[in-house]
Amino acid sequence: MSEKQKVMMLGNAAIARGAYEAGVKVSAAYPGTPSTEVSENLVQYKDELYCEWSPNEKVATEVAIGASMAGVRSMCAMKHVGVNVASDPLYSFSYMGINGGFVLVAADDPGCYSSQNEQDSRMVARAAHVAVIEPSDSQEAKDFTKAAFEISEKYDTPVMLRTTTRLSHSQGMVTLEQRQDIPDKPYNRDISRNVMMPAMARARHIEVEKREKRLEEESCSLPINRVEMRDTSIGVITSGIPYQYVREALPEASVLKLGLVNPLPRKLIEDFAKKVDSLYIVEELDPVIELQVKSWGIKCTGKEIFTVQGEYSANMIRKAVAHADLGIESPAEVPARPPILCAGCPHRSVFTVLKKLKIHAAGDIGCYTLGTVPPLSVIDTVVCMGASISALHGMEKAKGKDYIKNWVAVIGDSTFMHTGINSLMNMFYNQATGTVLILDNSTTGMTGHQDHAATGKTLQGDIVPAISIYEMCKAIGIRSVTEVDAFDIETLEKVVKEEVQKDEVSVIITKSPCIMLGQKKITHKCASDPEKCKKCGMCLSPGCPALTKCEDGTIAIDDTLCTGCDLCKKLCKFDAIKDV
Amino acid sequence: MNTKNIMIVGVGGQGTVLASRLLGGIIMDGGYEVKISEVHGMAQRGGSVVTFVRYGDEVCEPIVEEGCADVLIAFERLEALRYAHFLKKDGVLIVNDQRMDPMPVVMGSATYPENIIEDLSKKYKVISVDAISKAKELGNAKVFNVIVLGIAAKHMDFTIEQWNAVIEREVKPKFVEINKTAFKEGFCGS
């Protein structure tokens, strides 16, 4: 590779490249859209660094903290809600300070493309007194990642590199550089920093305030905070991807582009505000910059005209600031096309059984969350990773064991390994009687098929002993643990009926690999026989995308989509679906 | 040059990613700045997907705004209708004449609109093609996306030699020939 090669890179790939060039030696993460590709790209450098999938974001963050304590540059990456899981170690580590540079990549999701909320990670970072850096394109994603490590080491602070879906999943051109040779720092026993007992924590709190003050003052001359003076009638303070929208919408406006968004460069902002006639703050999600600027008595306009919801665009800014009539046609009213479970997905088979039994499910985070919507409509509740099991437990404690005889918890294998295991221990310990279905498809599906501790393969591709979910449940002490083939709907129906009636905790592990893994050998496909079809619609009830209703009411099966899972064939009472 | 705005829309799993990779590759070869914005995660599971491609001397935002697309490449009719308002007045819509019913239509809670191509033709320059049949004739239904891309490429500024070079670079060796044939079918076909 030549020294100054230019390549197209996804924002997340550029972050990974930045970490590589910054000399990172250890990285840990749990997959989560839109952060997943950071680790998936970093692993290509495994000969020069170590990277792993950890079971959850708390563990990943602690792994990276340990590596920093040991004296090397380390990183962890997660989606915004993963930051919640990681916040316990993050808050403490902020007090402790770093040894090797430490960066936490937080990927926010304005617009909820693949998330359960639109929380703003900058708020967490402010509460934890962690510096925040925000790039606005792929080149900056790489460069700012390197800058984040410099700032981490110069100011003895963890740094959050904040990205959003639009940046993480956009490609732009990036100039590559060589990997820096960062010598390992020595480890020194220093309990005043590395053990957060009350006496030490009180002393460290003072240091945290001092470093934040120093960073705030010096940030006014940091090159990642940039003033672009043009016409002074309109001035905009912005950061991240909204900077690009501002440049499109208001090309003549003066801009203060912030690379460091916590702490804010107060003097720089005050000087900029004085030079422009009207000042706007353009930031997606929460008014993090705006509220601080207003608290300093600076007159500006922000969330009065810009929403706190969803993604921004240049047109949105044109309309809000310039009141421009853009003469845009309104979109046609068309049927929605929501995401659905794939043809051949084992979850569809499990939900078909639960639906037949009229069972309610406390659900969890993964592809199987799609079991909430028609035609399956089985899942009643989804909170966060692992909550299916604990929420079912809470329902039982609220209303008694008979109340949950027609309820189950439904959780995937990766989510079970993430935090579901804790909830199951709690059920057993506190004498619950609920039934937990672990939908084991041997992968982390929704995020694009990452391995985990129960698959037997690591991020770096090493084959390792797989943790047995069955044995783990048995080891907790649960007596009734049953493994069932997810497509064996007769057995599954019988087992579910039996287990929900029991006055003890039961676990049913439904097994069948995700169809997208390509492990299943497709031996045949299904086709319908219009002569035998009675047009009852039973085969359509699980919502398989390979099946469509013809104009005469009979069924057509798309042979390019069908995987021969036979679910429709099993549901047909008239023998109208056959193998081909 | 002014920034050129291209969109690729379709149903998750139809192969928008390869089409955008080929587009990105050729634009970079042409020496332009380019930004591409994609959809990953939940929306890929059979949902409506959209990819934005922008190129020119300088590109700021990675998305195409409503009313600004020069070329809209739609792999499915309903998706063409869903995103047609992104086209500028003299924009070109290239649509693969395929119907894929979304779940609300399958369940009977919504109706698939009739006469989509006829209606859109009244407002925009529409080029409709049954690319799946053409791809089946070539021996692989999956390359329909590259046929559609070939038609769209007529409205861009690159030669077939340049496109072939990108296909050779970006596609797995055993699929290079079929993709080059598919591209030529779209680019040179009537």
Side-chain angles (χ1 to χ4, degrees):
Chain A
M1 187 179 290
S2 67
E3 206 161 308
K4 289 282 180 190
Q5 194 187 347
K6 235 180 182 188
V7 295
M8 282 290 283
M9 272 192 169
L10 206 60
N12 280 346
I15 292 170
R17 178 70 196 188
Y20 166 76
E21 289 180 6
V24 161
K25 293 228 170 111
V26 173
S27 170
Y30 180 78
T33 312
S35 72
T36 313
E37 300 84 0
V38 174
S39 298
E40 289 182 323
N41 279 281
L42 195 60
V43 72
Q44 67 186 291
Y45 309 114
K46 66 180 181 181
D47 292 343
E48 295 167 85
L49 51 80
Y50 169 81
C51 55
E52 69 171 34
W53 292 130
S54 309
N56 63 42
E57 296 85 355
K58 175 182 182 311
V59 174
T61 302
E62 291 158 353
V63 169
I65 287 172
S68 166
M69 284 175 172
V72 306
R73 288 188 168 183
S74 67
M75 185 170 84
C76 50
M78 59 206 67
K79 67 184 293 171
H80 58 328
V81 286
V83 177
N84 303 337
V85 181
S87 63
D88 197 1
L90 181 66
Y91 276 71
S92 289
F93 192 48
S94 176
Y95 271 36
M96 295 160 65
I98 57 94
N99 188 21
F102 173 96
V103 173
L104 182 150
V105 179
D108 287 1
D109 190 16
C112 286
Y113 284 90
S114 207
S115 303
Q116 64 267 45
N117 73 24
E118 288 188 282
Q119 73 187 49
D120 191 325
S121 294
R122 296 174 303 167
M123 299 287 256
V124 179
R126 269 179 59 71
H129 298 277
V130 166
V132 182
I133 287 181
E134 193 169 25
S136 66
D137 60 20
S138 291
Q139 181 69 53
E140 283 190 356
K142 187 192 75 118
D143 295 342
F144 283 18
T145 301
K146 295 166 84 171
F149 282 100
E150 300 289 332
I151 287 172
S152 174
E153 288 176 356
K154 186 171 177 192
Y155 296 93
D156 191 17
T157 178
V159 176
M160 176 186 285
L161 185 87
R162 189 228 188 190
T163 170
T164 57
T165 304
R166 190 57 65 187
L167 174 64
S168 284
H169 292 166
S170 288
Q171 298 185 51
M173 284 145 89
V174 177
T175 304
L176 304 184
E177 294 164 289
Q178 297 294 309
R179 179 168 164 91
Q180 292 169 271
D181 184 19
I182 306 290
D184 294 1
K185 291 183 182 170
Y187 169 78
N188 296 311
R189 184 173 192 267
D190 181 357
I191 59 166
S192 73
R193 290 170 57 99
N194 288 345
V195 180
M196 280 302 97
M197 293 162 80
M200 289 81 145
R202 280 191 288 269
R204 287 301 301 173
H205 193 181
I206 297 165
E207 296 303 316
V208 168
E209 298 297 322
K210 275 192 204 162
R211 82 161 180 236
E212 219 169 15
K213 188 79 198 145
R214 186 162 70 92
L215 179 54
E216 183 209 307
E217 285 164 11
E218 295 179 16
S219 70
C220 294
S221 55
L222 270 181
I224 61 172
N225 289 332
R226 184 172 80 221
V227 177
E228 299 172 3
M229 289 313 291
R230 285 177 279 268
D231 184 83
T232 54
S233 57
I234 291 179
V236 181
I237 300 174
T238 186
S239 69
I241 208 87
Y243 165 78
Q244 308 293 358
Y245 303 140
V246 169
R247 290 293 295 125
E248 295 275 352
L250 309 167
E252 301 305 319
S254 295
V255 175
L256 169 52
K257 180 187 178 302
L258 298 175
L260 186 77
V261 295
N262 186 56
L264 290 176
R266 180 168 176 171
K267 174 107 186 14
L268 195 64
I269 289 171
E270 286 171 340
D271 289 349
F272 181 75
K274 280 178 202 152
K275 289 182 193 153
V276 297
D277 301 335
S278 22
L279 180 64
Y280 294 88
I281 315 272
V282 181
E283 56 188 323
E284 286 174 336
L285 301 179
D286 291 336
V288 177
I289 300 170
E290 179 187 340
L291 289 182
Q292 292 177 82
V293 171
K294 282 184 171 161
S295 77
W296 302 331
I298 296 172
K299 195 164 172 282
C300 61
T301 305
K303 296 301 176 186
E304 298 91 342
I305 58 169
F306 302 117
T307 174
V308 292
Q309 290 144 10
E311 287 191 291
Y312 285 10
S313 69
N315 277 354
M316 195 209 84
I317 294 167
R318 284 186 192 108
K319 280 183 220 162
V321 175
H323 306 288
D325 177 13
L326 303 168
I328 292 164
E329 299 229 4
S330 32
E333 281 183 29
V334 296
R337 191 187 296 277
I340 45 174
L341 296 171
C342 306
C345 175
H347 300 330
R348 177 176 291 108
S349 180
V350 175
F351 287 136
T352 300
V353 171
L354 295 180
K355 188 178 182 185
K356 183 183 173 194
L357 297 175
K358 295 193 169 59
I359 283 194
H360 296 261
D364 225 296
I365 307 284
C367 288
Y368 48 89
T369 311
L370 296 170
T372 307
V373 291
L376 296 165
S377 308
V378 168
I379 288 178
D380 280 28
T381 69
V382 175
V383 186
C384 65
M385 296 286 285
S388 56
I389 300 174
S390 6
L392 178 67
H393 178 66
M395 285 181 186
E396 179 179 356
K397 293 304 172 191
K399 294 214 164 160
K401 64 183 183 189
D402 290 339
Y403 184 77
I404 57 153
K405 293 292 185 208
N406 64 339
W407 275 83
V408 295
V410 167
I411 186 168
D413 48 330
S414 187
T415 310
F416 179 73
M417 300 302 283
H418 179 280
T419 35
I421 179 74
N422 302 288
S423 306
L424 188 63
M425 289 191 295
N426 185 51
M427 269 181 107
F428 183 77
Y429 169 49
N430 286 307
Q431 301 288 291
T433 68
T435 300
V436 175
L437 263 71
I438 301 173
L439 312 185
D440 184 358
N441 66 354
S442 309
T443 193
T444 316
M446 180 60 86
T447 45
H449 307 106
Q450 292 75 33
D451 283 288
H452 57 74
T455 67
K457 199 174 168 196
T458 67
L459 173 60
Q460 298 195 152
D462 296 322
I463 305 302
V464 294
I467 293 175
S468 160
I469 293 176
Y470 177 87
E471 294 296 343
M472 217 159 51
C473 296
K474 291 298 260 186
I476 287 173
I478 297 167
R479 286 187 298 181
S480 189
V481 184
T482 315
E483 289 185 315
V484 188
D485 179 342
F487 285 106
D488 183 355
I489 55 176
E490 275 180 32
T491 307
L492 183 58
E493 181 179 333
K494 182 170 157 286
V495 171
V496 172
K497 271 176 164 169
E498 284 169 10
E499 296 302 324
V500 292
Q501 290 305 323
K502 286 186 182 167
D503 282 342
E504 62 180 327
V505 182
S506 311
V507 174
I508 303 167
I509 305 169
T510 64
K511 294 183 79 84
S512 186
C514 171
I515 191 70
M516 301 302 280
L517 286 174
Q519 289 176 2
K520 186 185 155 185
K521 196 162 180 277
I522 295 177
T523 56
H524 65 278
K525 305 212 170 189
C526 293
S528 76
D529 180 348
E531 299 296 316
K532 289 186 179 174
C533 178
K534 303 286 186 213
K535 307 173 187 178
C536 68
M538 195 58 198
C539 58
L540 287 171
S541 64
C544 175
L547 272 66
T548 46
K549 198 190 241 176
C550 304
E551 282 185 9
D552 66 357
T554 60
I555 298 307
I557 300 177
D558 183 339
D559 63 356
T560 62
L561 291 174
C562 178
T563 66
C565 79
D566 290 348
L567 181 62
C568 56
K569 193 167 81 183
K570 287 172 189 164
L571 293 174
C572 180
K573 296 188 178 100
F574 307 104
D575 204 21
I577 295 176
K578 55 185 190 303
D579 295 357
V580 284
Chain B
M1 68 175 264
N2 288 332
T3 304
K4 194 134 181 165
N5 298 313
I6 299 173
M7 289 172 68
I8 308 170
V9 302
V11 178
Q14 271 192 311
T16 52
V17 174
L18 174 65
S20 75
R21 200 163 75 226
L22 295 176
L23 258 177
I26 199 147
I27 294 165
M28 263 201 64
D29 287 358
Y32 298 107
E33 179 170 1
V34 55
K35 285 185 180 171
I36 300 175
S37 196
E38 305 164 353
V39 176
H40 298 213
M42 189 180 245
Q44 280 182 307
R45 297 282 174 271
S48 167
V49 292
V50 51
T51 300
F52 301 109
V53 180
R54 306 189 72 220
Y55 68 99
D57 297 330
E58 192 197 352
V59 179
C60 293
E61 64 175 334
I63 60 170
V64 175
E65 301 281 340
E66 293 168 319
C68 295
D70 297 283
V71 180
L72 173 61
I73 302 167
F75 287 163
E76 198 268 353
R77 287 207 303 259
L78 179 61
E79 297 312 308
L81 181 59
R82 189 187 311 283
Y83 292 101
H85 65 290
F86 276 80
L87 277 167
K88 59 167 66 159
K89 289 277 179 279
D90 56 348
V92 182
L93 167 66
I94 294 121
V95 55
N96 175 41
D97 191 5
Q98 187 191 6
R99 169 175 171 163
M100 290 175 78
D101 287 354
M103 198 45 68
V105 171
V106 175
M107 298 313 299
S109 61
T111 311
Y112 195 98
E114 300 288 334
N115 309 320
I116 290 175
I117 290 172
E118 293 76 2
D119 289 349
L120 289 175
S121 297
K122 290 172 194 161
K123 281 195 212 164
Y124 306 102
K125 183 172 183 213
V126 177
I127 299 162
S128 168
V129 56
D130 179 4
I132 300 213
S133 297
K134 286 183 188 245
K136 280 183 179 163
E137 282 169 26
L138 298 179
N140 186 344
K142 285 186 178 166
V143 297
F144 85 92
N145 56 351
V146 178
I147 296 178
V148 180
L149 182 66
I151 297 168
K154 292 188 205 174
H155 301 275
M156 296 171 64
D157 318 312
F158 306 103
T159 65
I160 191 150
E161 288 76 22
Q162 287 173 301
W163 282 103
N164 281 339
V166 173
I167 291 169
E168 282 166 21
R169 197 174 67 218
E170 298 289 339
V171 176
K172 279 187 194 154
K174 69 172 178 174
F175 296 117
V176 164
E177 277 316 308
I178 180 82
N179 276 288
K180 277 162 77 170
T181 308
F183 185 84
K184 193 176 166 202
E185 171 73 31
F187 195 75
C188 303
S190 53

